[in-house]
Each structure stands twice: as structure tokens, then as C-alpha cells.
């Protein structure tokens, strides 16, 4: 079998996921046996579905809620080069991250990932050397793994202020590094799922696995309440923080990571990320990450927790920690009233006998057995995790290393709104065509940056079944309450 596959073209009918296809696919799966059943529609599960489908296996993926319902939408949205792992001596993970970052940014999803400059402000000369050493090691990885990110550099105070005008007066200069930034983590999940669908995978959202065996699962359709059985030759549990509930060999520790969402104007409109070293450390940072559309995320905490799995929430202590961490670098300190909202997600970390969650390995584990469970890892390394898991099932070679996702390849039209090009890549023109001449659908809805056609596309192509799928997971307007209210109010007019 050849190792290259035809690329999925923009708007490929086989990649379109809507409610009718979901119903059809449920009926087809109920009357047949698939090669692989994947449980979980986060980045890990969709990555496995894509890997298996491209090796020629028949695949069904079930997700209890919606694509990217869990941790995969609560990340920092970075495609890491692995620098942070070097600091803790985890060279293997660092290398893996650097390689996968290059693949995502160059070939797999260049339409969803961009280079992002990261400024580490200096307050005195003592910080310069260790930070430069860290960036230098990251640069070795960058050069080894290839790619087009610039090398790190040293900046004067004036140069640093040009990038981050809101810097505190006592900043004496800065070091500039580079990493990858996703336009949105949930968009990556959806793009992988649609690409898997184009290669034949059946993507069944709102379908819960009630219990698993080595040859299938008892499933519940969360839209109708009906239960049914799916037969499979192989079953893969990719349910992240929920994994222990379906496989009692899995023992997880959960660590909550929280971000604040603020208007970029309230931190001086930075044009690059601001990485502020925690007191006494040159390798642990609180960071502000500017996004498109005038908002920034400030992260990140790491708090071990045993609280219930659904609906993780920031604690007061985490909010204060993040404010205390970022404010020393800002001329105008940020206060609580400027926080638009917060978001939190759980890192599913493999339990180990020693140490706190911050010390546990971030590497993924693939547990073989009647049911294969895949846990841990990073968004950045999803493809490698999938390759490792499917290697246990198939002897055919992996074909995803250089496989572009839908939207990555194709002609770009200059005549579509910037927001569509930024979020849909080569599919922007297909999305814009959903307006069918109604120019109002290419305008932002209310105070939000969302265009009407995005609501239509979410239901037509992106497996959005419920209103909340559209608002929270495709459009991400839950990150700014005012946007959410406006888009929810405008949705009826758009969708009829
Ligand atoms: C705060 C934070 C920031 C992070 N930032 C980054 C970053 O910037 N870059 C990076 O590379 N990594 C980052 N990570 C790590 C990365 O986000 C996670 O490793 C990754 O998203 C985990 O994906 P997953 O698919 O394994 O789990 P999830 O995304 O949680 O997916 C599991 C899915 O399984 C479903 N499910 C559960 N039970 C069932 C069932 N019974 N039946 C069917 N479906 C079920 C859930 O609904 C869920 O959708 C971050 C993690 C956190 C917590």
C-alpha cells in the first residue's frame, strides 16, 4: 500500500458532518461490525480515528457530548516546541513536541496554526543568562526538527515596548522566543474529525459509551435516550480525564489549569505573547496570549483536584495567582473587574507513586489489553499518540505524518472576510458561499466577531447538533459573555 493519500479537498462532501449523516451513520454502525471503535471525541480520539481510517480500517468514533467537549477546548491553544519539558529534563517529550509542532505548522494544519512571538521581559541582568540558555536549548530543538520559526533574540527595552506597549517602567529589556499558536483548539479537533470522516470514519457525537468490552460497547444515544450495541474488532478508550470510568486499569490524577480572559486593551494591546517568570524561577511563567478579535488569555495554573469531572471552575486562589503573576510586568496592573471570564480544564495525568501533579510525566501512555486506553499527552502530540495506539492494531504503515487536514490545502480566494480565511483556510470561500448572496450573513453579529455564515457552516459541515455545540464549541463565544448573548439572540434570524 502506498504511503501517500489523496488530500481531502476543501468542502469535500465526504467530510461534511451534519445531523442527518449522524442518524444515517448510527443505523449503519448498528448493523455491522467495525474494525475499530474509538471512544471520546477530544483531540486524542479524533486523531486515532484519522490514523486508523487512513490505514484502511473501518472506524466508528463515539462522543458522549460534542467534539472538543472536554479538555481539548480548554487548552492554552499552543503548539509547543517542547521547551518547557527540557527545563524538567524530559528530553524525549521535548523532541517529540518539537517534531510534531513542525508537522502541524508546516503541513498538517498550517491554516490553523501561526508563529507566535513570546517576549520574556527582563527586570535585571541576573535573569538574562538563564532565560537565554533556556531559549537556546529550545532553539536546538527547533533547528533539529526543522520548520520556519525564527531564532530567539535579545531586545532592548525600547524594542520590547514596541511589541508590548503596556510594559512596566522597570523592564530593562527582553528575550524573544517563538512558538506555534492555534487559531482555536476546538477547530483543530473538528478539522481532524472531518478529515477522518472524509477517509470513511463514522463520527457519532452525542453518543455515550455506557460500558466497554474487547469486542464492542453498549452505547446510549443522548439525543433520543435509546441504547444500542456496537460490535468492533478493537476498542480504544480515549476519554481523557474520564478514562478511568471505562477502564479500571487506568489510575489518573487530575490537575486543573485555569486561564483568565481579558480584553487585550486592558493589558496594553500586546502584539506578541508576554511571558513573566514567576518569582525565583526562570523556567515557570505566567503568560498573556493575545488572540484575534481583541481578547487575550492569561494562564496558567496547575492545581491538583478531586472535584467532580464536569464543569471545572477557577478558584479564587487561581485568579489571584494569575493576577499576581502577570501584574509585575504591566504598567497598569490588571484588576478583577477587567476579567471578562475564566476557563478551566483538567489535565489527565497518569498517577505515579511520587510527587505532585506538576512533577508527573506529561508523556502519553498507551495501555494495551482487551480495551486499549490512551491517556495523557498534549494537544501538540495528538498525532504521535494516535500512531502509537493504532500500531497496536494494524501492521499497515501510519499515513498521517504529512497528511494535510481539510482546509489546509487549496486555492485561497482574496475576496472573503479575513475572519473566514483565518479560521477556515482553503475552505473560506466555501463557507462564504453559504451566504447565497445575502451580504448580511457576512457581517459580524452584534458585538461579536462571528459572521452569520459560520452558524450555518457549523450545522452543515462541523457536526454541530445542538445550539450549545454551535455557540460554545464551534464559535467559542462562551469566552466573552457579551458575544454569547448577542450571537445566541441573533441565531434564530440566521438559522430560521
Ligand atoms: C489548562 C490546560 C492547558 C493546556 N494547554 C495545552 C497547550 O497549549 N498545548 C498543548 O499541546 N496541550 C495543552 N494541554 C493538554 C491538552 O489540552 C490535552 O492533553 C488534550 O486536550 C487531551 O485531549 P483528550 O482527547 O485526551 O481529552 P478530552 O479533550 O477531555 O476528550 C475526552 C472526550 O471523551 C468524552 N467522553 C468521556 N466519557 C465518555 C463516554 N463514556 N463515552 C463517549 N465519550 C466520552 C468527553 O466528552 C470528551 O470530549 C492543556 C491542558 C490543560 C488542562
Amino acid at each position: 500500500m502506498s504511503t501517500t493519500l489523496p488530500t481531502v479537498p476543501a468542502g469535500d462532501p465526504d467530510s461534511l458532518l451534519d445531523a442527518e449523516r449522524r442518524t444515517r451513520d448510527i443505523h449503519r454502525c448498528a448493523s455491522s461490525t467495525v474494525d475499530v471503535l474509538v471512544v471520546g471525541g477530544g483531540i486524542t480520539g479524533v486523531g486515532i480515528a484519522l490514523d486508523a481510517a487512513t490505514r484502511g480500517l473501518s472506524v466508528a468514533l463515539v462522543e458522549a457530548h460534542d467534539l472538543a467537549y472536554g479538555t481539548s477546548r480548554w487548552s492554552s491553544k499552543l503548539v509547543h516546541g517542547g521547551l518547557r519539558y527540557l527545563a524538567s529534563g524530559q528530553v524525549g517529550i521535548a523532541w517529540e513536541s518539537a517534531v510534531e509542532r513542525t508537522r502541524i505548522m508546516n503541513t498538517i494544519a498550517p491554516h490553523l496554526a501561526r508563529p507566535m512571538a513570546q517576549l520574556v521581559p527582563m527586570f535585571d541582568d541576573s535573569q538574562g543568562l538563564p532565560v537565554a540558555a533556556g531559549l537556546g536549548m529550545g532553539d536546538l530543538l527547533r533547528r533539529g526538527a526543522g520548520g520556519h520559526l525564527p531564532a530567539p533574540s535579545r531586545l532592548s527595552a525600547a524594542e520590547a515596548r514596541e511589541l508590548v506597549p503596556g510594559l512596566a517602567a522597570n523592564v530593562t529589556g527582553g528575550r524573544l522566543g517563538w512558538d506555534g499558536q492555534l487559531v482555536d483548539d476546538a477547530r483543530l479537533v473538528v478539522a481532524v474529525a472531518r478529515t477522518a470522516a472524509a477517509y470513511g470514519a463514522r463520527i457519532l457525537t452525542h453518543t455515550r459509551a455506557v460500558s466497554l468490552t474487547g469486542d464492542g460497547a453498549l452505547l446510549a444515544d443522548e439525543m433520543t435516550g435509546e441504547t444500542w450495541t456496537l460490535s468492533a474488532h478493537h476498542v480504544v478508550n480515549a476519554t481523557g480525564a474520564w478514562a478511568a470510568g471505562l477502564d479500571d486499569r487506568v489510575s489518573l490524577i487530575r490537575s486543573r489549569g485555569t486561564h483568565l480572559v481579558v480584553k487585550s486593551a486592558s493589558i496594553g494591546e500586546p502584539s506578541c505573547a508576554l511571558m513573566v517568570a514567576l518569582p525565583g524561577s526562570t523556567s515557570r511563567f505566567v503568560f498573556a496570549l493575545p488572540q484575534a478579535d481583541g481578547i487575550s488569555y492569561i494562564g496558567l495554573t496547575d492545581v491538583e483536584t478531586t472535584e467532580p469531572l464536569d464543569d471545572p471552575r477557577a478558584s479564587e486562589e487561581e485568579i489571584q495567582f494569575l493576577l499576581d503573576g502577570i501584574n509585575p510586568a504591566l504598567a497598569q496592573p490588571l484588576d478583577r473587574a477587567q476579567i471578562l471570564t475564566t476557563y478551566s480544564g483538567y489535565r489527565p495525568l497518569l498517577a505515579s507513586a511520587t510527587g505532585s501533579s506538576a512533577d508527573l510525566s506529561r508523556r502519553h501512555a498507551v495501555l494495551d489489553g482487551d480495551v486499549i486506553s490512551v491517556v495523557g499527552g498534549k494537544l501538540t502530540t495528538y498525532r504521535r499518540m494516535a500512531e502509537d495506539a493504532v500500531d497496536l492494531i494494524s501492521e499497515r504503515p501510519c499515513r498521517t505524518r504529512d497528511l494535510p487536514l481539510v482546509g489546509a490545502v487549496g486555492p485561497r480566494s482574496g475576496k472573503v472576510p479575513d475572519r473566514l480565511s483565518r479560521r477556515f483556510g482553503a475552505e473560506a470561500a466555501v463557507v462564504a458561499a453559504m451566504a447565497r448572496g445575502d451580504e448580511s450573513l457576512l457581517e459580524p453579529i452584534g458585538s461579536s466577531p462571528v459572521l452569520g455564515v459560520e452558524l450555518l457552516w457549523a450545522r452543515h459541515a462541523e457536526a454541530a447538533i445542538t445550539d450549545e455545540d454551535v455557540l460554545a464549541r464551534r464559535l467559542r463565544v462562551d469566552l466573552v459573555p457579551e458575544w454569547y448573548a448577542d450571537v445566541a439572540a441573533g441565531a434564530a434570524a440566521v438559522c430560521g
Side-chain angles (χ1 to χ4, degrees), residues 68-77 185 240-242 253-260 300-305 307-315 318 342-349 357 362 476 479:
Y69 173 83
T71 304
S72 297
R73 71 177 148 136
W74 300 130
S75 79
S76 306
K77 295 135 190 38
D185 43 12
W242 290 265
I253 291 175
R254 262 181 294 132
S255 148
R256 189 179 55 236
T258 288
H259 293 81
L260 314 177
L300 177 64
T301 60
D302 196 338
V303 181
E304 214 170 297
T305 176
E307 69 190 4
L309 264 167
D310 287 301
D311 202 18
R313 296 278 171 124
S315 68
E318 287 175 284
T342 65
Y343 70 83
S344 305
Y346 291 129
R347 295 177 192 84
L349 302 172
S357 62
R362 255 63 169 170
R476 306 309 306 270
L479 294 172

Side-chain angles (χ1 to χ4, degrees), residues 245-400:
L246 290 171
D247 181 346
D248 51 23
R249 296 169 306 159
V250 176
S251 171
L252 293 179
I253 291 175
R254 262 181 294 132
S255 148
R256 189 179 55 236
T258 288
H259 293 81
L260 314 177
V261 183
V262 300
K263 286 196 171 140
S264 297
S266 60
I267 53 170
E269 299 280 10
S271 60
C272 75
L274 176 62
M275 316 286 292
V276 187
L278 289 174
S281 170
T282 49
S283 60
R284 294 191 60 219
F285 299 90
V286 167
F287 48 74
L289 305 171
Q291 312 291 310
D293 304 317
I295 59 170
S296 291
Y297 305 143
I298 297 177
L300 177 64
T301 60
D302 196 338
V303 181
E304 214 170 297
T305 176
T306 52
E307 69 190 4
L309 264 167
D310 287 301
D311 202 18
R313 296 278 171 124
S315 68
E316 284 302 308
E317 291 76 17
E318 287 175 284
I319 295 173
Q320 198 56 48
F321 169 84
L322 293 171
L323 290 175
D324 291 347
I326 204 73
N327 276 339
L330 297 177
Q332 295 286 329
L334 192 65
D335 66 43
R336 279 175 182 249
Q338 293 168 299
I339 301 172
L340 300 174
T341 186
T342 65
Y343 70 83
S344 305
Y346 291 129
R347 295 177 192 84
L349 302 172
L350 285 170
S352 81
T354 57
S356 71
S357 62
D359 301 319
L360 292 175
S361 166
R362 255 63 169 170
R363 201 179 192 288
H364 62 273
V366 179
L367 306 180
D368 199 3
D370 285 350
V371 171
I372 297 171
S373 284
V374 186
V375 277
K378 302 293 288 177
L379 209 75
T380 310
T381 53
Y382 80 91
R383 197 211 59 77
R384 177 58 197 275
M385 295 165 73
E387 181 179 337
D388 288 353
V390 182
D391 277 350
L392 293 176
I393 294 171
S394 172
E395 290 183 352
R396 295 175 195 157
C398 173
R399 301 169 102 186
T400 58

